[in-house]
Amino acid sequence: EAEVAQSPRYKITEKSQAVAFWCDPISGHATLYWYRQILGQGPELLVQFQDESVVDDSQLPKDRFSAERLKGVDSTLKIQPAELGDSAMYLCASSFRTEGSGELFFGEGSRLTVL
Amino acid sequence: GQNIDQPTEMTATEGAIVQINCTYQTSGFNGLFWYQQHAGEAPTFLSYNVLDGLEEKGRFSSFLSRSKGYSYLLLKELQMKDSASYLCAVTGGYNKLIFGAGTRLAVHP
């Protein structure tokens, strides 16, 4: 069964360091999402791609976060510099459809701890 | 903008029925999803509603009233493995999915 791949699963870093997460969506899925989930809360959308274009990044803290999907396939989310409040689970998801009822398929997530 | 409200926590007994409510306000609406999330794991799809009414899938059912901005997830014959968070999520334009904070369900013997 096709899955969304994410790495690393766990990352521990010190504040002010740079950190990067990688996501490979299900083949053929045009839409890719990065969500941040703080413990005890629901996932918060950070950025949404349609192929290689950003559809929505209104909640992405652009002073320290960046995301790219250069060839419209896999994607990287970067944080520089990391802050204590960035400790969270970073979830990548993909969807086949661009409009309407496209179910999102999630990867296992990358859990970030900033010390 | 979008706003989604659901109870923070619920408890229920094994074998019982539980209903988790969700109310939402959104500027555009393309459907409502329910996801299940076990602790430390990624969300997994449970149900999708775009028209008013009840959708049944095994032990789980989901209801939608678009005029009231209201949905519920009904879980029957509860099992211990149903202890998890249940996330209500609303889709707007461009398949943008916005999640509520989730309801933590604890099932007791």
Side-chain angles (χ1 to χ4, degrees), chain A residues 9-10 31 33 35 37 40-45 48 50 55-56 58 89 91 95-109 111, chain B residues 6 8 30-31 33 35 37 39-46 48 50 57 85 87 89-102 104:
Chain A
R9 286 292 310 277
Y10 303 94
T31 310
Y33 310 77
Y35 284 87
Q37 187 173 26
Q41 299 181 18
E44 173 195 14
L45 180 65
Q48 179 180 343
Q50 176 62 38
V55 173
D56 189 318
S58 58
M89 175 79 87
L91 293 163
S95 173
F96 176 71
R97 296 187 185 183
T98 60
E99 293 286 344
S101 63
E103 175 189 342
L104 269 65
F105 295 83
F106 283 86
E108 292 186 320
R111 181 166 295 283
Chain B
Q6 48 183 132
T8 303
N30 280 332
F33 287 85
Y35 278 79
Q37 186 176 28
E41 299 181 8
T44 56
F45 170 81
L46 286 179
Y48 171 73
V50 65
K57 187 185 296 185
S85 287
L87 302 165
V90 175
T91 58
Y94 291 103
N95 209 35
K96 178 177 178 178
L97 190 62
I98 302 299
F99 285 87
R104 287 192 300 278

Short mmCIF file of all heavy atoms in Angstrom, two decimals, chain A residues 9-10 31 33 35 37 40-45 48 50 55-56 58 89 91 95-109 111, chain B residues 6 8 30-31 33 35 37 39-46 48 50 57 85 87 89-102 104:
data_model
loop_
_atom_site.label_atom_id
_atom_site.label_comp_id
_atom_site.label_asym_id
_atom_site.label_seq_id
_atom_site.Cartn_x
_atom_site.Cartn_y
_atom_site.Cartn_z
N ARG A 9 12.16 10.63 11.78
CA ARG A 9 11.02 10.41 12.68
C ARG A 9 11.16 11.25 13.94
O ARG A 9 10.18 11.75 14.48
CB ARG A 9 10.91 8.94 13.06
CG ARG A 9 10.40 8.02 11.99
CD ARG A 9 8.91 8.26 11.65
NE ARG A 9 8.04 8.31 12.81
CZ ARG A 9 7.53 7.25 13.42
NH1 ARG A 9 7.83 6.03 13.01
NH2 ARG A 9 6.72 7.39 14.46
N TYR A 10 12.38 11.37 14.41
CA TYR A 10 12.64 12.13 15.63
C TYR A 10 13.86 13.02 15.40
O TYR A 10 14.82 12.59 14.77
CB TYR A 10 12.90 11.20 16.82
CG TYR A 10 11.78 10.23 17.08
CD1 TYR A 10 11.81 8.95 16.53
CD2 TYR A 10 10.70 10.59 17.87
CE1 TYR A 10 10.78 8.06 16.76
CE2 TYR A 10 9.66 9.70 18.09
CZ TYR A 10 9.71 8.44 17.54
OH TYR A 10 8.68 7.56 17.76
N THR A 31 -1.32 17.42 -4.49
CA THR A 31 -1.39 18.35 -3.37
C THR A 31 -0.61 17.81 -2.18
O THR A 31 -0.79 16.65 -1.80
CB THR A 31 -2.86 18.60 -2.97
OG1 THR A 31 -3.62 18.93 -4.13
CG2 THR A 31 -2.94 19.75 -1.99
N TYR A 33 0.77 18.85 1.85
CA TYR A 33 0.53 19.72 3.01
C TYR A 33 1.59 19.47 4.08
O TYR A 33 2.00 18.34 4.31
CB TYR A 33 -0.83 19.42 3.66
CG TYR A 33 -2.02 19.36 2.75
CD1 TYR A 33 -2.26 18.24 1.95
CD2 TYR A 33 -2.94 20.40 2.71
CE1 TYR A 33 -3.37 18.16 1.14
CE2 TYR A 33 -4.06 20.33 1.90
CZ TYR A 33 -4.27 19.21 1.12
OH TYR A 33 -5.38 19.13 0.32
N TYR A 35 1.71 20.18 8.16
CA TYR A 35 0.99 20.58 9.35
C TYR A 35 1.93 20.54 10.55
O TYR A 35 2.85 19.72 10.62
CB TYR A 35 -0.18 19.64 9.65
CG TYR A 35 -1.40 19.81 8.76
CD1 TYR A 35 -1.49 19.16 7.55
CD2 TYR A 35 -2.45 20.62 9.16
CE1 TYR A 35 -2.61 19.30 6.74
CE2 TYR A 35 -3.58 20.77 8.36
CZ TYR A 35 -3.65 20.10 7.16
OH TYR A 35 -4.77 20.26 6.37
N GLN A 37 1.67 20.04 14.72
CA GLN A 37 0.75 19.65 15.78
C GLN A 37 1.46 19.71 17.13
O GLN A 37 2.37 18.91 17.40
CB GLN A 37 0.19 18.25 15.54
CG GLN A 37 -0.91 17.88 16.55
CD GLN A 37 -1.59 16.56 16.21
OE1 GLN A 37 -1.00 15.70 15.57
NE2 GLN A 37 -2.83 16.40 16.66
N GLY A 40 -1.52 17.83 22.36
CA GLY A 40 -2.83 18.14 22.92
C GLY A 40 -3.68 19.05 22.04
O GLY A 40 -4.81 19.39 22.41
N GLN A 41 -3.16 19.42 20.88
CA GLN A 41 -3.91 20.28 19.97
C GLN A 41 -4.12 19.59 18.63
O GLN A 41 -3.51 18.56 18.34
CB GLN A 41 -3.17 21.61 19.77
CG GLN A 41 -2.98 22.40 21.05
CD GLN A 41 -2.28 23.73 20.80
OE1 GLN A 41 -2.23 24.21 19.68
NE2 GLN A 41 -1.75 24.32 21.86
N GLY A 42 -4.99 20.19 17.81
CA GLY A 42 -5.18 19.66 16.47
C GLY A 42 -4.09 20.13 15.53
O GLY A 42 -3.36 21.09 15.82
N PRO A 43 -3.92 19.46 14.39
CA PRO A 43 -2.92 19.89 13.41
C PRO A 43 -3.23 21.29 12.88
O PRO A 43 -4.40 21.61 12.59
CB PRO A 43 -3.03 18.84 12.30
CG PRO A 43 -3.67 17.65 12.95
CD PRO A 43 -4.60 18.23 13.97
N GLU A 44 -2.18 22.10 12.72
CA GLU A 44 -2.30 23.46 12.18
C GLU A 44 -1.61 23.49 10.82
O GLU A 44 -0.43 23.14 10.71
CB GLU A 44 -1.64 24.45 13.13
CG GLU A 44 -1.55 25.87 12.59
CD GLU A 44 -0.59 26.73 13.39
OE1 GLU A 44 0.19 26.17 14.18
OE2 GLU A 44 -0.61 27.96 13.20
N LEU A 45 -2.34 23.93 9.81
CA LEU A 45 -1.77 23.97 8.47
C LEU A 45 -0.68 25.04 8.38
O LEU A 45 -0.92 26.21 8.69
CB LEU A 45 -2.86 24.27 7.44
CG LEU A 45 -2.41 24.35 5.99
CD1 LEU A 45 -1.90 22.99 5.50
CD2 LEU A 45 -3.54 24.84 5.09
N GLN A 48 0.57 24.66 2.02
CA GLN A 48 -0.08 23.74 1.08
C GLN A 48 0.47 23.99 -0.31
O GLN A 48 0.53 25.14 -0.76
CB GLN A 48 -1.60 23.94 1.10
CG GLN A 48 -2.37 23.06 0.14
CD GLN A 48 -3.87 23.29 0.19
OE1 GLN A 48 -4.38 23.87 1.14
NE2 GLN A 48 -4.58 22.83 -0.82
N GLN A 50 0.31 22.92 -4.45
CA GLN A 50 -0.35 22.29 -5.59
C GLN A 50 0.74 22.13 -6.64
O GLN A 50 1.21 23.12 -7.20
CB GLN A 50 -1.49 23.15 -6.11
CG GLN A 50 -2.18 22.61 -7.35
CD GLN A 50 -2.83 21.28 -7.11
OE1 GLN A 50 -3.38 21.03 -6.05
NE2 GLN A 50 -2.75 20.41 -8.10
N VAL A 55 -0.01 27.13 -2.54
CA VAL A 55 -1.40 27.53 -2.58
C VAL A 55 -1.76 28.37 -1.35
O VAL A 55 -2.51 29.34 -1.44
CB VAL A 55 -2.32 26.30 -2.67
CG1 VAL A 55 -3.78 26.71 -2.53
CG2 VAL A 55 -2.09 25.54 -3.95
N ASP A 56 -1.21 27.98 -0.21
CA ASP A 56 -1.51 28.67 1.04
C ASP A 56 -0.32 28.54 1.97
O ASP A 56 0.10 27.43 2.28
CB ASP A 56 -2.76 28.07 1.69
CG ASP A 56 -3.26 28.88 2.88
OD1 ASP A 56 -2.44 29.33 3.69
OD2 ASP A 56 -4.50 29.04 3.01
N SER A 58 -0.27 31.07 4.61
CA SER A 58 -0.65 32.19 5.46
C SER A 58 -0.27 31.98 6.93
O SER A 58 -0.11 32.94 7.68
CB SER A 58 -2.15 32.45 5.34
OG SER A 58 -2.89 31.29 5.69
N MET A 89 5.05 17.99 16.62
CA MET A 89 5.06 16.99 15.56
C MET A 89 4.81 17.70 14.24
O MET A 89 3.85 18.48 14.13
CB MET A 89 3.98 15.94 15.81
CG MET A 89 3.85 14.91 14.70
SD MET A 89 5.11 13.64 14.79
CE MET A 89 4.27 12.51 15.92
N LEU A 91 3.73 17.10 10.54
CA LEU A 91 3.04 16.09 9.74
C LEU A 91 2.99 16.52 8.28
O LEU A 91 2.64 17.66 7.97
CB LEU A 91 1.61 15.91 10.25
CG LEU A 91 1.44 15.30 11.64
CD1 LEU A 91 0.04 15.56 12.17
CD2 LEU A 91 1.71 13.80 11.59
N SER A 95 -2.69 14.54 -1.09
CA SER A 95 -4.04 14.30 -1.59
C SER A 95 -4.01 14.26 -3.10
O SER A 95 -3.26 15.01 -3.73
CB SER A 95 -4.98 15.40 -1.09
OG SER A 95 -6.26 15.28 -1.67
N PHE A 96 -4.85 13.41 -3.68
CA PHE A 96 -4.92 13.31 -5.13
C PHE A 96 -5.67 14.49 -5.73
O PHE A 96 -5.28 15.02 -6.76
CB PHE A 96 -5.59 11.99 -5.52
CG PHE A 96 -5.78 11.83 -7.02
CD1 PHE A 96 -4.70 11.61 -7.84
CD2 PHE A 96 -7.05 11.92 -7.57
CE1 PHE A 96 -4.87 11.47 -9.22
CE2 PHE A 96 -7.23 11.78 -8.95
CZ PHE A 96 -6.13 11.55 -9.77
N ARG A 97 -6.75 14.87 -5.06
CA ARG A 97 -7.61 15.88 -5.66
C ARG A 97 -7.18 17.28 -5.28
O ARG A 97 -6.61 17.51 -4.21
CB ARG A 97 -9.06 15.66 -5.21
CG ARG A 97 -9.62 14.36 -5.69
CD ARG A 97 -11.09 14.25 -5.37
NE ARG A 97 -11.62 12.95 -5.72
CZ ARG A 97 -12.90 12.62 -5.60
NH1 ARG A 97 -13.75 13.49 -5.14
NH2 ARG A 97 -13.30 11.41 -5.92
N THR A 98 -7.49 18.22 -6.12
CA THR A 98 -7.19 19.61 -5.82
C THR A 98 -8.40 20.37 -5.33
O THR A 98 -8.27 21.40 -4.71
CB THR A 98 -6.67 20.32 -7.09
OG1 THR A 98 -7.68 20.26 -8.10
CG2 THR A 98 -5.42 19.65 -7.60
N GLU A 99 -9.59 19.87 -5.58
CA GLU A 99 -10.81 20.52 -5.15
C GLU A 99 -11.71 19.51 -4.48
O GLU A 99 -11.67 18.33 -4.79
CB GLU A 99 -11.56 21.14 -6.34
CG GLU A 99 -10.86 22.29 -6.99
CD GLU A 99 -10.93 23.56 -6.15
OE1 GLU A 99 -11.76 23.62 -5.23
OE2 GLU A 99 -10.15 24.48 -6.42
N GLY A 100 -12.52 19.99 -3.54
CA GLY A 100 -13.57 19.15 -2.98
C GLY A 100 -13.09 18.08 -2.05
O GLY A 100 -12.31 18.33 -1.14
N SER A 101 -13.51 16.87 -2.28
CA SER A 101 -13.46 15.83 -1.25
C SER A 101 -12.21 14.99 -1.26
O SER A 101 -12.27 13.79 -1.11
CB SER A 101 -14.67 14.92 -1.42
OG SER A 101 -14.60 14.27 -2.69
N GLY A 102 -11.07 15.59 -1.45
CA GLY A 102 -9.86 14.80 -1.46
C GLY A 102 -9.43 14.39 -0.07
O GLY A 102 -9.06 15.24 0.73
N GLU A 103 -9.46 13.10 0.21
CA GLU A 103 -8.98 12.60 1.49
C GLU A 103 -7.49 12.84 1.61
O GLU A 103 -6.74 12.65 0.65
CB GLU A 103 -9.27 11.11 1.59
CG GLU A 103 -8.71 10.44 2.85
CD GLU A 103 -8.84 8.94 2.80
OE1 GLU A 103 -9.65 8.44 1.98
OE2 GLU A 103 -8.13 8.26 3.56
N LEU A 104 -7.04 13.25 2.78
CA LEU A 104 -5.62 13.45 3.05
C LEU A 104 -5.03 12.19 3.64
O LEU A 104 -5.60 11.57 4.55
CB LEU A 104 -5.41 14.61 4.03
CG LEU A 104 -5.21 15.99 3.41
CD1 LEU A 104 -6.47 16.43 2.69
CD2 LEU A 104 -4.80 16.99 4.48
N PHE A 105 -3.87 11.82 3.12
CA PHE A 105 -3.12 10.69 3.64
C PHE A 105 -1.90 11.25 4.36
O PHE A 105 -1.11 11.98 3.77
CB PHE A 105 -2.69 9.76 2.52
CG PHE A 105 -3.84 9.10 1.81
CD1 PHE A 105 -4.52 9.76 0.80
CD2 PHE A 105 -4.25 7.83 2.17
CE1 PHE A 105 -5.59 9.16 0.15
CE2 PHE A 105 -5.32 7.22 1.52
CZ PHE A 105 -5.99 7.89 0.52
N PHE A 106 -1.74 10.86 5.62
CA PHE A 106 -0.67 11.43 6.44
C PHE A 106 0.52 10.49 6.54
O PHE A 106 0.36 9.26 6.58
CB PHE A 106 -1.19 11.70 7.86
CG PHE A 106 -2.04 12.92 7.96
CD1 PHE A 106 -3.40 12.86 7.72
CD2 PHE A 106 -1.48 14.15 8.30
CE1 PHE A 106 -4.20 13.98 7.81
CE2 PHE A 106 -2.27 15.28 8.39
CZ PHE A 106 -3.63 15.20 8.15
N GLY A 107 1.70 11.09 6.62
CA GLY A 107 2.88 10.34 6.99
C GLY A 107 2.92 10.14 8.48
O GLY A 107 2.05 10.63 9.21
N GLU A 108 3.94 9.43 8.97
CA GLU A 108 4.05 9.13 10.39
C GLU A 108 4.50 10.33 11.21
O GLU A 108 4.45 10.29 12.43
CB GLU A 108 4.98 7.94 10.60
CG GLU A 108 4.41 6.64 10.06
CD GLU A 108 5.27 5.45 10.41
OE1 GLU A 108 6.51 5.57 10.35
OE2 GLU A 108 4.71 4.40 10.74
N GLY A 109 4.97 11.37 10.56
CA GLY A 109 5.34 12.58 11.27
C GLY A 109 6.80 12.63 11.68
O GLY A 109 7.48 11.60 11.77
N ARG A 111 8.89 14.20 14.83
CA ARG A 111 8.74 14.84 16.13
C ARG A 111 9.99 15.63 16.46
O ARG A 111 11.09 15.07 16.53
CB ARG A 111 8.48 13.81 17.22
CG ARG A 111 8.29 14.46 18.60
CD ARG A 111 7.71 13.53 19.63
NE ARG A 111 6.35 13.12 19.33
CZ ARG A 111 5.29 13.89 19.52
NH1 ARG A 111 5.40 15.11 20.00
NH2 ARG A 111 4.08 13.43 19.24
N GLN B 6 -15.17 21.46 19.27
CA GLN B 6 -15.52 20.10 19.70
C GLN B 6 -15.09 19.94 21.14
O GLN B 6 -14.20 20.65 21.60
CB GLN B 6 -14.89 19.04 18.79
CG GLN B 6 -13.42 19.20 18.50
CD GLN B 6 -12.91 18.12 17.53
OE1 GLN B 6 -12.23 18.40 16.56
NE2 GLN B 6 -13.21 16.87 17.84
N THR B 8 -13.31 18.82 24.53
CA THR B 8 -11.91 18.49 24.74
C THR B 8 -11.72 17.03 25.11
O THR B 8 -10.83 16.35 24.58
CB THR B 8 -11.32 19.37 25.85
OG1 THR B 8 -11.49 20.74 25.48
CG2 THR B 8 -9.84 19.08 26.04
N ASN B 30 -16.57 22.65 1.56
CA ASN B 30 -16.53 21.59 0.56
C ASN B 30 -16.62 20.21 1.21
O ASN B 30 -16.35 19.20 0.57
CB ASN B 30 -15.25 21.67 -0.26
CG ASN B 30 -15.35 22.71 -1.36
OD1 ASN B 30 -16.43 23.00 -1.86
ND2 ASN B 30 -14.23 23.29 -1.74
N GLY B 31 -16.95 20.17 2.49
CA GLY B 31 -17.11 18.88 3.13
C GLY B 31 -16.48 18.85 4.51
O GLY B 31 -15.71 19.74 4.89
N PHE B 33 -14.60 16.19 7.41
CA PHE B 33 -13.93 14.92 7.67
C PHE B 33 -13.87 14.65 9.16
O PHE B 33 -13.80 15.56 9.98
CB PHE B 33 -12.48 14.97 7.16
CG PHE B 33 -12.32 14.92 5.67
CD1 PHE B 33 -12.39 16.08 4.91
CD2 PHE B 33 -12.06 13.72 5.03
CE1 PHE B 33 -12.22 16.04 3.54
CE2 PHE B 33 -11.89 13.68 3.66
CZ PHE B 33 -11.97 14.84 2.91
N TYR B 35 -11.24 12.32 11.53
CA TYR B 35 -10.02 11.53 11.58
C TYR B 35 -9.83 10.99 13.00
O TYR B 35 -10.21 11.63 13.98
CB TYR B 35 -8.79 12.39 11.22
CG TYR B 35 -8.56 12.57 9.73
CD1 TYR B 35 -9.31 13.50 9.01
CD2 TYR B 35 -7.61 11.81 9.06
CE1 TYR B 35 -9.10 13.66 7.65
CE2 TYR B 35 -7.40 11.97 7.70
CZ TYR B 35 -8.15 12.90 7.00
OH TYR B 35 -7.94 13.06 5.65
N GLN B 37 -6.89 9.69 15.74
CA GLN B 37 -5.45 9.80 15.98
C GLN B 37 -5.10 9.17 17.32
O GLN B 37 -5.48 9.70 18.37
CB GLN B 37 -5.00 11.26 15.94
CG GLN B 37 -3.49 11.42 16.03
CD GLN B 37 -3.04 12.86 15.90
OE1 GLN B 37 -3.77 13.78 16.23
NE2 GLN B 37 -1.83 13.06 15.39
N ALA B 39 -2.33 8.23 20.22
CA ALA B 39 -1.24 9.02 20.79
C ALA B 39 0.08 8.71 20.08
O ALA B 39 0.47 7.55 19.93
CB ALA B 39 -1.11 8.73 22.28
N GLY B 40 0.75 9.76 19.63
CA GLY B 40 2.05 9.62 18.99
C GLY B 40 2.00 9.15 17.55
O GLY B 40 3.06 8.93 16.94
N GLU B 41 0.80 9.00 17.00
CA GLU B 41 0.67 8.52 15.63
C GLU B 41 0.04 9.59 14.75
O GLU B 41 -0.47 10.60 15.22
CB GLU B 41 -0.15 7.23 15.59
CG GLU B 41 0.48 6.09 16.38
CD GLU B 41 -0.35 4.81 16.29
OE1 GLU B 41 -1.31 4.76 15.51
OE2 GLU B 41 -0.01 3.86 17.02
N ALA B 42 0.06 9.36 13.44
CA ALA B 42 -0.56 10.28 12.50
C ALA B 42 -2.07 10.06 12.44
O ALA B 42 -2.56 8.97 12.76
CB ALA B 42 0.04 10.08 11.11
N PRO B 43 -2.83 11.07 12.06
CA PRO B 43 -4.28 10.90 11.89
C PRO B 43 -4.60 9.91 10.78
O PRO B 43 -3.91 9.86 9.76
CB PRO B 43 -4.75 12.31 11.52
CG PRO B 43 -3.67 13.22 11.98
CD PRO B 43 -2.41 12.46 11.82
N THR B 44 -5.67 9.15 10.97
CA THR B 44 -6.16 8.25 9.94
C THR B 44 -7.62 8.56 9.64
O THR B 44 -8.39 8.90 10.54
CB THR B 44 -6.01 6.77 10.35
OG1 THR B 44 -6.68 6.58 11.60
CG2 THR B 44 -4.56 6.38 10.51
N PHE B 45 -7.98 8.43 8.38
CA PHE B 45 -9.30 8.82 7.90
C PHE B 45 -10.39 7.90 8.45
O PHE B 45 -10.24 6.69 8.48
CB PHE B 45 -9.29 8.74 6.38
CG PHE B 45 -10.63 8.87 5.73
CD1 PHE B 45 -11.20 10.12 5.54
CD2 PHE B 45 -11.32 7.75 5.29
CE1 PHE B 45 -12.44 10.24 4.93
CE2 PHE B 45 -12.55 7.87 4.68
CZ PHE B 45 -13.11 9.11 4.50
N LEU B 46 -11.49 8.53 8.89
CA LEU B 46 -12.65 7.77 9.33
C LEU B 46 -13.84 7.97 8.41
O LEU B 46 -14.48 7.00 7.99
CB LEU B 46 -13.06 8.19 10.75
CG LEU B 46 -12.20 7.74 11.91
CD1 LEU B 46 -12.76 8.28 13.21
CD2 LEU B 46 -12.10 6.23 11.96
N TYR B 48 -16.22 10.98 5.68
CA TYR B 48 -16.35 12.23 4.93
C TYR B 48 -17.84 12.49 4.67
O TYR B 48 -18.55 11.59 4.22
CB TYR B 48 -15.59 12.16 3.62
CG TYR B 48 -15.85 13.32 2.69
CD1 TYR B 48 -15.30 14.57 2.97
CD2 TYR B 48 -16.63 13.18 1.55
CE1 TYR B 48 -15.52 15.65 2.13
CE2 TYR B 48 -16.86 14.26 0.71
CZ TYR B 48 -16.30 15.49 0.99
OH TYR B 48 -16.53 16.56 0.17
N VAL B 50 -20.40 15.45 2.81
CA VAL B 50 -20.55 16.71 2.07
C VAL B 50 -22.03 17.07 1.94
O VAL B 50 -22.37 18.25 1.82
CB VAL B 50 -19.88 16.63 0.69
CG1 VAL B 50 -20.56 15.62 -0.21
CG2 VAL B 50 -19.82 17.99 0.03
N LYS B 57 -20.54 3.49 8.50
CA LYS B 57 -19.43 2.64 8.08
C LYS B 57 -19.06 1.75 9.25
O LYS B 57 -18.28 2.14 10.12
CB LYS B 57 -18.24 3.50 7.65
CG LYS B 57 -17.10 2.70 7.04
CD LYS B 57 -15.89 3.60 6.75
CE LYS B 57 -16.17 4.64 5.71
NZ LYS B 57 -14.95 5.42 5.37
N SER B 85 -7.77 10.28 20.04
CA SER B 85 -8.33 11.60 19.76
C SER B 85 -9.10 11.54 18.45
O SER B 85 -8.68 10.85 17.51
CB SER B 85 -7.21 12.65 19.66
OG SER B 85 -6.68 12.95 20.91
N LEU B 87 -10.61 13.93 15.50
CA LEU B 87 -10.44 15.25 14.92
C LEU B 87 -11.52 15.53 13.89
O LEU B 87 -11.70 14.76 12.94
CB LEU B 87 -9.06 15.36 14.26
CG LEU B 87 -7.85 15.09 15.16
CD1 LEU B 87 -6.61 14.88 14.31
CD2 LEU B 87 -7.63 16.25 16.11
N ALA B 89 -12.60 18.05 10.89
CA ALA B 89 -11.89 18.92 9.99
C ALA B 89 -12.81 19.35 8.85
O ALA B 89 -13.59 18.56 8.35
CB ALA B 89 -10.65 18.22 9.42
N VAL B 90 -12.69 20.61 8.46
CA VAL B 90 -13.55 21.18 7.44
C VAL B 90 -12.72 21.59 6.23
O VAL B 90 -11.62 22.15 6.38
CB VAL B 90 -14.29 22.41 8.00
CG1 VAL B 90 -15.10 23.09 6.91
CG2 VAL B 90 -15.20 22.00 9.14
N THR B 91 -13.22 21.28 5.05
CA THR B 91 -12.52 21.67 3.83
C THR B 91 -13.13 22.92 3.23
O THR B 91 -14.34 23.08 3.17
CB THR B 91 -12.58 20.55 2.78
OG1 THR B 91 -13.95 20.26 2.49
CG2 THR B 91 -11.90 19.31 3.27
N GLY B 92 -12.23 23.80 2.76
CA GLY B 92 -12.66 24.98 2.04
C GLY B 92 -12.18 24.89 0.61
O GLY B 92 -12.00 23.81 0.05
N GLY B 93 -11.89 26.01 0.01
CA GLY B 93 -11.41 26.01 -1.37
C GLY B 93 -10.03 25.39 -1.49
O GLY B 93 -9.28 25.33 -0.53
N TYR B 94 -9.70 24.90 -2.70
CA TYR B 94 -8.39 24.30 -2.97
C TYR B 94 -8.10 23.12 -2.04
O TYR B 94 -6.95 22.83 -1.74
CB TYR B 94 -7.26 25.32 -2.85
CG TYR B 94 -7.29 26.35 -3.95
CD1 TYR B 94 -7.76 27.62 -3.70
CD2 TYR B 94 -6.85 26.03 -5.23
CE1 TYR B 94 -7.80 28.56 -4.71
CE2 TYR B 94 -6.88 26.98 -6.24
CZ TYR B 94 -7.36 28.24 -5.97
OH TYR B 94 -7.40 29.18 -6.96
N ASN B 95 -9.15 22.43 -1.60
CA ASN B 95 -8.98 21.27 -0.74
C ASN B 95 -8.18 21.59 0.52
O ASN B 95 -7.43 20.76 1.02
CB ASN B 95 -8.30 20.13 -1.51
CG ASN B 95 -8.70 18.76 -0.98
OD1 ASN B 95 -9.83 18.57 -0.56
ND2 ASN B 95 -7.77 17.83 -1.00
N LYS B 96 -8.32 22.81 1.02
CA LYS B 96 -7.65 23.21 2.25
C LYS B 96 -8.41 22.62 3.43
O LYS B 96 -9.60 22.85 3.61
CB LYS B 96 -7.64 24.74 2.36
CG LYS B 96 -7.00 25.26 3.62
CD LYS B 96 -6.97 26.80 3.59
CE LYS B 96 -6.39 27.35 4.86
NZ LYS B 96 -6.32 28.84 4.81
N LEU B 97 -7.71 21.84 4.25
CA LEU B 97 -8.35 21.13 5.37
C LEU B 97 -7.92 21.75 6.67
O LEU B 97 -6.72 21.78 6.99
CB LEU B 97 -7.96 19.65 5.32
CG LEU B 97 -8.72 18.72 6.25
CD1 LEU B 97 -10.19 18.70 5.92
CD2 LEU B 97 -8.15 17.31 6.16
N ILE B 98 -8.89 22.27 7.43
CA ILE B 98 -8.62 22.90 8.70
C ILE B 98 -9.18 22.01 9.81
O ILE B 98 -10.35 21.63 9.78
CB ILE B 98 -9.27 24.29 8.78
CG1 ILE B 98 -8.76 25.17 7.64
CG2 ILE B 98 -8.97 24.94 10.14
CD1 ILE B 98 -7.27 25.40 7.64
N PHE B 99 -8.34 21.72 10.81
CA PHE B 99 -8.70 20.81 11.88
C PHE B 99 -9.16 21.54 13.13
O PHE B 99 -8.66 22.62 13.46
CB PHE B 99 -7.50 19.95 12.27
CG PHE B 99 -7.18 18.86 11.29
CD1 PHE B 99 -6.36 19.11 10.21
CD2 PHE B 99 -7.69 17.58 11.47
CE1 PHE B 99 -6.07 18.10 9.30
CE2 PHE B 99 -7.39 16.56 10.57
CZ PHE B 99 -6.59 16.83 9.49
N GLY B 100 -10.08 20.91 13.86
CA GLY B 100 -10.38 21.32 15.21
C GLY B 100 -9.30 20.82 16.16
O GLY B 100 -8.37 20.11 15.75
N ALA B 101 -9.44 21.16 17.43
CA ALA B 101 -8.44 20.79 18.43
C ALA B 101 -8.49 19.32 18.79
O ALA B 101 -7.54 18.79 19.38
CB ALA B 101 -8.59 21.64 19.68
N GLY B 102 -9.59 18.65 18.46
CA GLY B 102 -9.70 17.22 18.74
C GLY B 102 -10.39 16.93 20.05
O GLY B 102 -10.39 17.74 20.99
N ARG B 104 -10.43 14.02 22.99
CA ARG B 104 -9.76 12.82 23.52
C ARG B 104 -10.80 11.92 24.16
O ARG B 104 -11.45 12.31 25.12
CB ARG B 104 -8.68 13.21 24.53
CG ARG B 104 -7.45 13.82 23.90
CD ARG B 104 -6.32 13.91 24.90
NE ARG B 104 -6.66 14.73 26.05
CZ ARG B 104 -6.59 16.05 26.09
NH1 ARG B 104 -6.22 16.71 25.02
NH2 ARG B 104 -6.90 16.71 27.18
#
